[in-house]
Amino acid sequence: MRKLIKNGTIVSAENSLKADILIEGETIARVEPGLSCPDAEVIDAAGMVVLPGGIDPHVHINLPMMGTRSSDDYYTAGKAAAIGGTTCLIDFVAQDEGSLSENISRKLPEARGTASVDYGLHMNITRFSSQVLEELADLPGQGITSIKVFTAYNNRLRLGDGEIFQTMRAAARLGLLTLVHAENGDVIEVLTAEALEQGRTSPVWHARTRPAWGEVEASLRAVALAAQAEAPVYLVHMNVAGEVDQLAYGRAHGVRVMGETCPQYLFFTEQDLERPDGTKWLCSPPLRSPADQQGLWQGLENGTIQVLATDHCPFFYDGTKAIAYEDELVALPGKELGRGCFTRVPNGVPGVGDRLPVFWTHAVRSGRITPNQFAALTAANPARIFGLYPKKGCLKPGSDADIAIWDPEMRVNYGVGTAKHRTDYNLYEGWQLTGFPRQVFLRGEWIVRDGEWRGRAGMGQFLRRQRGEVI
Ligand code: DUC
Ligand code: ZN
Ligand code: ZN
């Protein structure tokens, strides 16, 4: 059946206009004022804001870490995302034994039949060889058009500078975008050993052993390597004001560099790690200072930063106690594994469902970011950069009907009860939000109806992404 969304304000990256949307099957057929269609189901969106479904290009689903794994699977992550207005996720394929294609084949079954929103994959490159360079050519045909490299996690995930340079150069020739996790692995290794020797084991030492300058230096290194490799580059999870400066420097010098930040870096600081329950905020890279927050906000406001992602990687705060998730009791080892030492705390925070509602209240409603910038940062830009536009990220005829109808006046006492992440805590517990999605559609199917989940495992499709744009 056709669906007609009437009387809403359609907000895109470019403009806001009062118009109606006709959905036929999985896609948008028409976007015009005053549409009528006798056989369509009409959804009255008067007073509502109609946005493209959010795209979160940085999530970790089922990620193994420190003897456990991140606690959302493809169903629960998608459900939490959708409740918060997001309809598309991009996760990562770990590079383990075997070829890149074999690694991808091992990851895909986690999602097939389980995913509740659409998803794509990035490929991690963490074991360098000439063979791997050749195998990069197999990625575009499999719909994977981005890779991630690390300058930290010595002897585990990190590549040397020469290896990153060669990887970026090969990637660029194939139209692949290189994502960089930019921290200084050597300094972290030295400081962590010293902290442990001195008995400095509380959660705040996680941040103190990963200094902000290491990120400033490593992000400039990433920009400079990209310039020398004549490659585009994307800095993930920027959390330091100086990184934004490096991004701006690169862009001013014609380097094709783009980047993202995440809500946790805008709303929390290193001090949160000093709370009695500080492990809830422990992630890598860590939370920083109020001055860093300011630099990130400026980067979002002036367009230096292109994307708001999440690095969603939830763990239970106390995985010894089960929670009920859809009437099933679930418990997974979590942050309690690191009681007594920050090095054993699984790194990561929940956030895929929080991103849009928290940002709407504290960026759009507060007047820092326009609704159009919101649509750009959370949907259109990630769609363009990661090769999904205009199928995703916009509401144009021919686009997938991934649509979130927001009530900009809806008041929500937010927290673990509202968010549907499969974990036992929420970073924004007790926050009062104004503005929340009421209806969400995935390719024309109603997956959130009047705020209630209506989606199913297996509805989400794998997205074969095209070569992305540099914006
Ligand atoms: N950071 C985290 O905190 N967790 C997972 C991966 C990452 O980069
Ligand atoms: Zn990372
Ligand atoms: Zn990550």
Side-chain angles (χ1 to χ4, degrees):
M1 192 186 192
R2 294 194 272 193
K3 295 187 180 76
L4 181 59
I5 301 173
K6 279 200 71 72
N7 307 317
T9 301
I10 301 177
V11 172
S12 69
E14 296 86 26
N15 55 33
S16 306
L17 83 155
K18 286 229 173 270
D20 305 332
I21 299 179
L22 180 66
I23 302 171
E24 280 183 5
E26 298 198 338
T27 56
I28 294 174
R30 295 170 69 182
V31 182
E32 289 159 42
L35 277 178
S36 64
C37 179
D39 64 348
E41 179 180 11
V42 174
I43 297 125
D44 184 13
M48 304 285 143
V49 171
V50 183
L51 280 156
I55 296 174
D56 187 341
H58 189 156
V59 301
H60 298 281
I61 298 174
N62 299 318
L63 179 70
M65 192 187 299
M66 296 176 176
T68 184
R69 63 178 164 80
S70 57
S71 59
D72 267 325
D73 64 16
Y74 271 89
Y75 172 72
T76 62
K79 173 175 172 178
I83 293 282
T86 290
T87 51
C88 174
L89 309 176
I90 311 182
D91 190 6
F92 295 79
V93 181
Q95 188 190 3
D96 291 319
E97 298 295 323
S99 67
L100 300 185
S101 296
E102 285 164 357
N103 285 289
I104 295 162
S105 301
R106 279 198 291 271
K107 180 73 182 175
L108 281 170
E110 288 178 22
R112 216 175 277 132
T114 304
S116 52
V117 299
D118 288 355
Y119 58 96
L121 293 169
H122 308 287
M123 181 76 226
N124 283 356
I125 302 296
T126 53
R127 299 164 177 223
F128 179 85
S129 69
S130 52
Q131 167 85 17
V132 167
L133 283 187
E134 278 174 30
E135 288 174 11
L136 291 177
D138 300 336
L139 298 180
Q142 297 181 66
I144 298 184
T145 53
S146 45
I147 58 170
K148 183 182 182 193
V149 299
F150 298 77
T151 61
Y153 303 108
N154 289 6
N155 307 316
R156 209 151 58 80
L157 304 176
R158 179 182 175 180
L159 298 189
D161 291 351
E163 295 171 337
I164 292 177
F165 169 72
Q166 291 179 76
T167 304
M168 283 176 164
R169 194 172 55 182
R173 287 179 185 148
L174 295 162
L176 300 166
L177 175 65
T178 303
L179 283 52
V180 181
H181 174 125
E183 294 186 284
N184 187 307
D186 289 340
V187 172
I188 292 168
E189 192 172 71
V190 171
L191 292 180
T192 304
E194 285 176 3
L196 295 184
E197 250 172 54
Q198 293 157 2
R200 293 171 159 160
T201 55
S202 65
V204 74
W205 285 94
H206 175 75
R208 292 184 184 154
T209 53
R210 311 178 86 91
W213 274 109
E215 291 192 57
V216 178
E217 172 272 316
S219 56
L220 178 60
R221 195 172 0 135
V223 170
L225 288 169
Q228 294 166 91
E230 298 182 19
V233 66
Y234 178 93
L235 300 177
V236 289
H237 44 52
M238 289 195 296
N239 58 338
V240 175
E243 280 188 291
V244 185
D245 296 340
Q246 306 318 313
L247 186 62
Y249 180 84
R251 288 172 75 83
H253 287 78
V255 187
R256 291 173 287 163
V257 53
M258 303 169 282
E260 68 180 27
T261 187
C262 311
Q264 58 270 30
Y265 301 121
L266 299 171
F267 298 114
F268 302 103
T269 65
E270 188 179 304
Q271 272 197 346
D272 291 291
L273 287 166
E274 300 196 72
R275 298 184 192 203
D277 57 351
T279 56
K280 289 178 180 173
W281 282 266
L282 192 148
C283 57
S284 292
L287 307 174
R288 297 296 185 194
S289 69
D292 289 313
Q293 291 179 323
Q294 252 189 25
L296 296 172
W297 277 109
Q298 267 171 20
L300 290 168
E301 285 160 22
N302 67 25
T304 305
I305 298 175
Q306 288 69 41
V307 173
L308 184 78
T310 61
D311 204 359
H312 175 73
C313 188
F315 295 96
F316 277 58
Y317 173 60
D318 183 354
T320 65
K321 297 194 181 81
I323 59 163
Y325 195 94
E326 294 192 352
D327 303 329
E328 247 183 62
L329 288 179
V330 192
L332 269 174
K335 304 275 186 179
E336 78 286 354
L337 294 172
R339 239 176 243 143
C341 191
F342 71 86
T343 57
R344 294 196 297 271
V345 181
N347 290 200
V349 297
V352 74
D354 311 327
R355 174 182 69 143
L356 300 186
V358 168
F359 199 61
W360 182 272
T361 293
H362 291 280
V364 178
R365 243 191 128 78
S366 66
R368 293 188 95 143
I369 296 284
T370 67
N372 309 103
Q373 285 175 302
F374 180 91
L377 288 163
T378 63
N381 290 354
R384 285 183 187 279
I385 293 170
F386 294 106
L388 292 167
Y389 197 88
K391 177 179 166 68
K392 306 282 190 194
C394 61
L395 302 177
K396 296 186 197 280
S399 299
D400 281 357
D402 293 352
I403 304 172
I405 303 180
W406 285 63
D407 179 348
E409 302 305 327
M410 182 171 162
R411 297 169 85 89
V412 176
N413 179 9
Y414 199 69
V416 70
T418 332
K420 299 300 174 199
H421 308 129
R422 192 166 61 181
T423 184
D424 59 351
Y425 78 98
N426 187 277
L427 295 183
Y428 308 92
E429 196 62 48
W431 285 37
Q432 303 301 311
L433 304 183
T434 306
F436 211 81
R438 281 196 187 273
Q439 325 293 345
V440 180
F441 301 87
L442 174 71
R443 280 178 283 100
E445 271 208 66
W446 218 319
I447 56 170
V448 176
R449 187 164 186 155
D450 300 323
E452 296 295 322
W453 175 241
R454 292 280 186 270
R456 301 178 309 278
M459 299 177 70
Q461 291 184 353
F462 175 62
L463 296 166
R464 291 178 177 277
R465 294 184 290 117
Q466 308 290 313
R467 180 187 189 135
E469 297 171 40
V470 174
I471 60 173

